[in-house]
Amino acid sequence: MIGKLNHVALAVPDLAAAAALYRDTLGASVSEPLDQPAHGVTVVFVTLPNTKIELVHPLGDSSPLAGFLAKNPAGGIHHICYEVEDILAARDRLKASGARVLGDGEPKIGAHGKPVLFLHPKDFLGTLVELEQA
Ligand SMILES: CC[C@@H](C(=O)O)C(=O)SCCNC(=O)CCNC(=O)[C@H](O)C(C)(C)COP(=O)(O)OP(=O)(O)OC[C@H]1O[C@@H](n2cnc3c(N)ncnc32)[C@H](O)[C@@H]1OP(=O)(O)O
Ligand SMILES: [Co+2]
């Protein structure tokens, strides 16, 4: 069911410093910051030849990153995103298998303009999983 690895997301306490690290030290192609109010994050994308790294920082008072950064103040790997051909079919199959789909279970439009959903980390080996419609 899952296809390409779309991105790996790093939660970071200082977005400008993280962007500079990837741009200047690692020599990667780095986007400008983009606020995603519907998701409670500001994001910078690092484009690699075979995938992307998403640098995410809390936006607003109720960011889903708040708890993670409180526990991991230096930041860390926050989620991985896999592409799926049909996100509603994937959601229904996962729910039927007992996996917890986060939020109200309805896809939101993600940073790439495509529908996304999140799966509970306790159901996926301690890793928060994002699904994005291909
Ligand atoms: C830019 C838009 C979009 C895109 O297009 O790419 C994005 O990527 S948006 C990214 C941010 N959005 C989200 O993360 C949405 C989904 N996340 C959530 O709903 C919550 O963050 C959460 C996963 C339910 C966690 O909520 P929180 O309140 O922080 O923690 P809990 O106390 O409920 O956690 C329970 C349990 O899970 C552990 N945990 C929490 N976050 C992670 C994580 N990212 N990876 C692994 N494990 C995680 C947490 O430590 C708790 O474990 P215990 O301490 O053992 O109980
Ligand atoms: Co993401």
Side-chain angles (χ1 to χ4, degrees), residues 7 9 54 56 79 81 118 130:
H7 61 268
E54 186 179 81
V56 285
H79 65 267
C81 177
F118 289 86
E130 179 180 0

Side-chain angles (χ1 to χ4, degrees), residues 11-16 18 56-58 69 72-76:
V12 299
D14 183 333
L15 194 54
V56 285
H57 182 76
L69 278 173
N72 305 280

Side-chain angles (χ1 to χ4, degrees), residues 8-23 26 30-34 40-46 53-60 63-79:
V8 175
L10 310 184
V12 299
D14 183 333
L15 194 54
L21 184 71
Y22 269 78
R23 184 183 57 241
L26 293 175
V30 170
S31 78
E32 291 299 314
L34 185 65
V41 299
T42 301
V43 60
V44 164
F45 278 106
V46 180
I53 304 297
E54 186 179 81
L55 305 174
V56 285
H57 182 76
L59 176 68
S63 173
L65 299 185
F68 183 90
L69 278 173
K71 284 183 183 169
N72 305 280
I77 295 179
H78 182 259
H79 65 267

